[in-house]
Amino acid sequence: METLKKIGRAWNSISLIKRILVGLIIGAALGVFVPGNEVVELLGTLFVSALKGVAPILVFFLVISALANAKTAGSMKTVVALYIVSTFVAALVAVVASFLFPIELTLTAGEVEQSSPSGIGEVLATLVSNIVSNPVDALINANYIGILAWAVVLGIALRAASQNTKDVFTSVSDAVSQVVRWIISLAPFGILGLVYTSVGENGLEIFTEYGQLLLVLVGCMLIIALITNPLLVFWGIRKNPYPLVLRCLKDSGLTAFFTRSSAANIPVNMELCRKLGLDKDNYSVSIPLGATINMAGAAVTISVMAMMAAHTMGIAIDLPTAVILSVLAAVSACGASGVAGGSLLLIPLACSLFGIGNDVAMQVVGIGFIIGVIQDSCETALNSSSDVLFTATAEYREWRKQGKEVTFGAKE
């Protein structure tokens, strides 16, 4: 037992990012030279399944505990405002990029046999129905809107409970958080398996297919991550935003890139917020909320794919229509699922704005699935890392107002 503890301490003493990079390199090499090993593939499956399994429980108890013990409203209003503004700005950037770099798509992909929203009303109706869903069903199916809604209601109701009762929920949330830290410490093995599976199934050449479209999509996401988001952070903290931006991309974005799930990355983001020294009462609510409504990457995907479909069909887009598309994409992105590929099925909704039929729109969705190896990974990395970025920005903004020093979380 003592030997195992020593091994564990030695393992955890190495930087997690270094361990993940080693796993990434080994996974890619094994995927090229010895593909098809089910045991290695199982590592990635187990890692993502563990994160997805613990995330709903983590969110549920953390939100209840945070609200039951909350003393102030904190910086949530600023966080939500940043989420909404950044998503709309992302859609605008994507529309502008699509005007500057139009691409004609080869619509030969087979139709995708999945249902997609028929209108913005259906997206909003789905959101409302998810809010009032059965709480047990919400936990089982990882319906984070429903989980958040019930946790908020219970958390507010428990404010009137005795301190002993509140302490029970705090203890449970702390225990679940510890389980999350154990899972995250095994991330390098999970990343190894995920990279191995992607490279083994598709080969390295998968990263060159539909290159032009990917350049536009990824280019937009890089602009959001490295230009517009830092501008929003600078507005909030009035100092160089890049140390915080790069740390969020490194510690959150890298993991999200491979899990391709904002929901699965919630535990990773919770841990990063703890390291940044943020208030648990705030981030235990803002992080799961961000995983459902902070969807700048999804807004980029929806906007670019719809604009390229319009260009391919020879439809001229005027400026007012482009702005409406940006609003529609931002609102629709908030309804995108927190799992891999969640934004693609909202492309037909945006295409409907231009009168593009569902048969053509679903072929565009099919192209989205083809390039999803990179597109969805980059999208999730942007979405998830900015959850922490804006949560930290809002709180550091409050610190600045109070005259506290903003250190970008020296705490490890």
Side-chain angles (χ1 to χ4, degrees), residues 234-289:
F234 179 78
W235 165 83
I237 64 177
R238 294 297 192 273
K239 64 184 300 185
N240 181 8
Y242 285 99
L244 179 61
V245 169
L246 295 177
R247 180 164 187 185
C248 290
L249 288 173
K250 182 186 72 171
D251 289 11
S252 172
L254 184 61
T255 306
F257 183 90
F258 292 105
T259 61
R260 296 173 63 191
S261 170
S262 295
N265 213 48
I266 287 175
V268 177
N269 283 348
M270 294 282 196
E271 178 66 8
L272 177 55
C273 285
R274 183 189 68 81
K275 291 180 178 179
L276 289 171
L278 304 183
D279 187 346
K280 190 175 181 180
D281 287 349
N282 290 331
Y283 71 71
S284 61
V285 177
S286 67
I287 293 302
L289 180 65

Side-chain angles (χ1 to χ4, degrees), residues 303 306-310 315-317 321-322 325 349-357:
S303 299
M307 288 290 290
M308 296 310 179
I315 300 172
I317 309 298
T321 305
L325 172 62
L349 172 58
C351 287
S352 67
L353 180 66
F354 307 132
I356 297 174

Side-chain angles (χ1 to χ4, degrees), residues 61 65 69 163 165-175 280:
F61 284 104
S65 175
N69 293 284
Q163 188 59 47
T165 301
K166 296 178 183 179
D167 290 342
V168 170
F169 282 91
T170 300
S171 297
V172 173
S173 67
D174 289 342
K280 190 175 181 180

Side-chain angles (χ1 to χ4, degrees), residues 68-197:
N69 293 284
K71 297 178 175 61
T72 63
S75 52
M76 281 303 300
K77 289 182 180 179
T78 305
V79 174
V80 173
L82 287 170
Y83 284 169
I84 294 172
V85 171
S86 66
T87 301
F88 176 67
V89 169
L92 278 178
V93 169
V95 168
V96 172
S98 299
F99 273 123
L100 295 175
F101 305 101
I103 297 171
E104 289 193 11
L105 304 176
T106 303
L107 301 179
T108 57
E111 292 192 11
V112 180
E113 296 181 359
Q114 296 188 54
S115 60
S116 59
S118 59
I120 192 66
E122 185 176 339
V123 174
L124 295 176
T126 300
L127 288 173
V128 173
S129 65
N130 284 339
I131 289 174
V132 296
S133 66
N134 183 289
V136 176
D137 181 74
L139 283 168
I140 292 173
N141 295 298
N143 167 16
Y144 285 93
I145 291 290
I147 292 171
L148 276 171
W150 284 105
V152 166
V153 171
L154 289 171
I156 293 174
L158 283 168
R159 290 177 66 82
S162 66
Q163 188 59 47
N164 288 339
T165 301
K166 296 178 183 179
D167 290 342
V168 170
F169 282 91
T170 300
S171 297
V172 173
S173 67
D174 289 342
V176 178
S177 297
Q178 181 59 51
V179 172
V180 168
R181 284 192 280 273
W182 290 340
I183 294 173
I184 292 175
S185 70
L186 299 175
F189 298 103
I191 298 301
L192 186 156
L194 291 168
V195 174
Y196 174 83
T197 301

Side-chain angles (χ1 to χ4, degrees), residues 34-52:
V34 284
N37 189 300
E38 295 182 357
V39 175
V40 181
E41 292 177 354
L42 185 61
L43 293 175
T45 302
L46 289 175
F47 176 62
V48 174
S49 297
L51 285 174
K52 288 184 176 180

Side-chain angles (χ1 to χ4, degrees), residues 332-352:
S332 300
C334 294
S337 173
V339 298
S343 62
L344 295 178
L345 291 179
L346 291 167
I347 293 172
L349 172 58
C351 287
S352 67

